[in-house]
Amino acid sequence: MEDVAMTTTQQQVVPHITDDTRELRQDSLFLQIPQNEKFLASLPAHTKIIQRDDLKKYFNLNLKIIGITGTNGKTTTAAIIYSVLLDMGYKVALLGTRGMFVNDKQIKPKGLTTPKLIELYQDIHTATLLGCEYFVMEVSSHAIKQERIYGLEFYTKILTNITSDHLDYHKTWEDYAQTKLNFLQTNENNQCIKIINLDDPSAAKIRFFPNTLTYGIESKGNFFVNAYSLNDGIFAQIGLRMSNKVQSQGNNKQDSTYTSDIQSALLHSELFGLFNLYNIMAAVLAIKALTDESLQKICDLVEQFGGVSGRMEVVSNNPLIIIDFAHTTDGMEKIFESFKTKKISVVFGAGGNRDKSKRAKMGASAAKYANKIYITNDNPRSEEPNEIANEIVSGIDSHQFLTKIQSSLKIILDRKEAIRQAIKDLPKDWVLLILGKGDECEQIFKDSIIQFSDKECVREILQKEQ
């Protein structure tokens, strides 16, 4: 990982600010947040307490912040925006699940999708001092609920989709969905551009909010698809309809009329799947709104984007083996739908100490689409792996699934062994999908954390077989 050094003139001294009593120093400023209010009474008498609104006094946030939220697609959409803006010559920062990147160099490793408030302000401050014009970030539902983005003025907000996830934290679907919608419905200023997926029923309800742009494949909003093919990547003929306000004088009275400017372009990408077409559309619409570059130029630059590690990543072409981070029912189904013309073998599990309600649904989804299923460990954490596996199996209609020609269901909790067996059993011209962990490089168990990468595991197995 490369460091991005700042010159003396770029550096700006920021006092030590913390929201954690364990990190207090003699010179610290203590940030009061809802989560630490109960500790205020126990602070040393000399401690200077500041409020969240005070943070802007200490940090330079003078750039355009683009926030992407949604159940699926945040990482890829953010990465496309970051990549294309860099190719256009802008200075850009990217913060999300994969860490923090500034001007094509990684400066922070993986962490939370959205860090805690102080760290986030520090990250934006760093990007500003490094000359960035844009700060592209993923925004998790946890961060919205816990007010970890408090006080930030977003230039653009994007909502990719809302499907069931994180019910271990939100408890109900309604709370989870409303949390995502709150991100767009909260306007720091009336100029914030909001971009929504018109094909998502939850998002469509806010289409008439001020400064809202829409995209869709089934629905024709501002950004739409006339025709597309998903064979050997993505090819689409797309259109963009933007309304322009025109002022006219008549009888000493000024009238406003609107005209529609329709642009069209051809889009090609090596990415797989309908869901990636959605991700590309969200990114292209955002870039168009940010830069006003020609639609075709943006699409041409998207073609150079090679994808995100661990997201629909082709690890082997012969046999065809793909890894992906999909760990929700909707995410899995989008992957499966991308391979309708092939027989599918799938390896997956479910995370422990997380939303249990989705496990049976994930099993049902696999049974609907796959011909061979290998249930294994994801990150079981403190839960018993066998119990997690059995909850997944409970969603599989055994009779319907096992009557498929050449179908099979196996529970192999050792993930490496499950992958090895799936590769060994893989018939020619099938596709093997290894889902749930993407580019993660460790597995979390009750009493240990081990180094493990799906990608390296596949490569090691294939190399031994040569």
Side-chain angles (χ1 to χ4, degrees):
M1 182 173 67
E2 297 185 59
D3 291 327
V4 177
M6 285 183 283
T7 66
T8 303
T9 55
Q10 285 177 310
Q11 293 174 355
Q12 177 178 324
V13 178
V14 175
H16 182 255
I17 304 174
T18 182
D19 59 8
D20 189 337
T21 57
R22 296 167 297 182
E23 298 175 353
L24 272 177
R25 303 188 323 214
Q26 191 71 21
D27 61 343
S28 294
L29 301 179
F30 189 79
L31 177 67
Q32 180 178 339
I33 59 175
Q35 291 83 0
N36 66 18
E37 289 179 351
K38 61 183 178 181
F39 298 107
L40 296 180
S42 63
L43 292 174
H46 69 270
T47 305
K48 182 177 180 180
I49 299 172
I50 64 172
Q51 304 301 315
R52 292 176 292 178
D53 289 325
D54 296 326
L55 288 174
K56 292 180 181 179
K57 299 176 183 177
Y58 303 101
F59 297 99
N60 188 338
L61 311 179
N62 189 26
L63 42 55
K64 294 177 179 177
I65 305 172
I66 299 98
I68 301 107
T69 196
T71 308
N72 300 305
K74 294 187 296 294
T75 300
T76 299
T77 302
I80 295 172
I81 296 171
Y82 172 71
S83 174
V84 172
L85 288 176
L86 282 177
D87 288 345
M88 286 180 172
Y90 295 100
K91 291 185 176 181
V92 193
L94 171 66
L95 178 67
T97 308
R98 299 185 301 137
M100 182 173 172
F101 300 79
V102 175
N103 300 330
D104 216 18
K105 295 178 181 177
Q106 186 170 9
I107 66 170
K108 276 179 55 178
K110 295 178 182 179
L112 294 174
T113 299
T114 312
K116 65 179 185 178
L117 187 64
I118 296 176
E119 185 179 349
L120 178 55
Y121 271 69
Q122 290 170 335
D123 291 340
I124 299 172
H125 176 79
T126 298
T128 304
L129 297 186
L130 289 169
C132 290
E133 299 160 82
Y134 297 103
F135 189 91
V136 185
M137 63 176 290
E138 299 178 47
V139 180
S140 68
S141 62
H142 289 70
I144 300 168
K145 192 79 171 178
Q146 296 167 8
E147 300 185 358
R148 282 191 259 141
I149 54 173
Y150 181 92
L152 294 182
E153 294 185 6
F154 287 84
Y155 189 83
T156 304
K157 294 180 177 181
I158 301 170
L159 176 59
T160 58
N161 50 64
I162 305 177
T163 61
S164 182
D165 196 15
H166 299 304
L167 297 191
D168 55 308
Y169 175 77
H170 291 277
K171 306 306 180 186
T172 66
W173 152 257
E174 289 77 15
D175 181 75
Y176 173 68
Q178 190 57 52
T179 298
K180 294 287 191 184
L181 293 175
N182 285 345
F183 175 62
L184 273 79
Q185 291 172 321
T186 302
N187 290 321
E188 299 84 2
N189 57 69
N190 290 327
Q191 301 306 311
C192 178
I193 301 167
K194 292 163 282 290
I195 294 175
I196 63 169
N197 178 357
L198 202 55
D199 290 342
D200 186 288
S202 298
K205 66 176 68 175
I206 59 174
R207 63 187 297 183
F208 299 114
F209 270 60
N211 296 312
T212 298
L213 299 175
T214 62
Y215 67 95
I217 297 174
E218 301 298 327
S219 307
K220 281 206 171 185
N222 297 105
F223 193 29
F224 52 91
V225 174
N226 289 318
Y228 69 91
S229 169
L230 301 178
N231 295 324
D232 300 319
I234 296 170
F235 181 83
Q237 200 283 323
I238 56 179
L240 176 67
R241 180 188 296 106
M242 302 294 284
S243 295
N244 300 311
K245 190 174 182 179
V246 179
Q247 301 288 351
S248 59
Q249 296 285 345
N251 299 324
N252 297 320
K253 179 181 178 182
Q254 191 176 62
D255 297 317
S256 295
T257 58
Y258 291 85
T259 62
S260 287
D261 173 28
I262 297 181
Q263 302 177 41
S264 61
L266 295 177
L267 169 70
H268 180 260
S269 170
E270 293 183 356
L271 302 185
F272 281 93
L274 185 64
F275 66 98
N276 267 326
L277 178 53
Y278 277 105
N279 293 335
I280 291 171
M281 292 187 72
V284 170
L285 184 54
I287 296 163
K288 177 65 179 173
L290 290 168
T291 68
D292 202 32
E293 291 280 4
S294 76
L295 186 61
Q296 189 59 62
K297 178 180 178 179
I298 297 171
C299 291
D300 290 343
L301 291 174
V302 167
E303 187 171 354
Q304 299 176 25
F305 177 74
V308 177
S309 177
R311 266 66 173 181
M312 203 66 156
E313 183 176 1
V314 179
V315 182
S316 167
N317 283 295
N318 187 22
L320 182 56
I321 302 175
I322 292 173
I323 63 172
D324 192 85
F325 189 61
H327 58 285
T328 66
T329 308
D330 181 70
M332 290 176 64
E333 289 194 351
K334 284 180 167 60
I335 301 291
F336 292 141
E337 287 281 348
S338 301
F339 296 96
K340 286 182 175 180
T341 61
K342 285 186 173 291
K343 288 186 178 293
I344 297 172
S345 180
V346 62
V347 176
F348 75 101
N353 306 122
R354 296 295 186 268
D355 182 3
K356 294 185 177 183
S357 68
K358 65 182 180 181
R359 294 173 184 172
K361 296 174 184 176
M362 291 165 70
S365 175
K368 178 181 177 181
Y369 292 95
N371 299 84
K372 292 180 182 289
I373 298 175
Y374 300 81
I375 297 174
T376 189
N377 276 331
D378 190 285
N379 293 316
R381 298 183 177 87
S382 65
E383 287 195 63
E384 287 299 322
N386 273 311
E387 292 182 10
I388 296 175
N390 288 335
E391 288 182 19
I392 296 172
V393 172
S394 70
I396 298 175
D397 182 336
S398 298
H399 175 74
Q400 180 182 1
F401 175 71
L402 294 176
T403 54
K404 289 182 180 179
I405 299 173
Q406 294 183 302
S407 64
S408 64
L409 168 63
K410 295 180 181 178
I411 299 176
I412 306 174
L413 295 180
D414 183 316
R415 193 171 181 95
K416 181 175 182 179
E417 178 58 26
I419 293 173
R420 189 196 67 78
Q421 190 64 50
I423 293 174
K424 178 183 177 183
D425 297 343
L426 190 65
K428 185 178 180 181
D429 297 329
W430 284 37
V431 59
L432 171 59
L433 305 176
I434 303 173
L435 307 181
K437 294 183 64 62
D439 64 342
E440 291 180 1
C441 56
E442 61 184 25
Q443 265 191 297
I444 306 172
F445 294 86
K446 183 176 182 179
D447 301 315
S448 64
I449 297 177
I450 66 169
Q451 295 299 304
F452 187 86
S453 161
D454 284 349
K455 185 192 303 186
E456 295 306 316
C457 179
V458 170
R459 288 175 174 171
E460 179 185 331
I461 292 168
L462 292 177
Q463 189 173 22
K464 285 182 179 179
E465 291 185 353
Q466 290 179 350

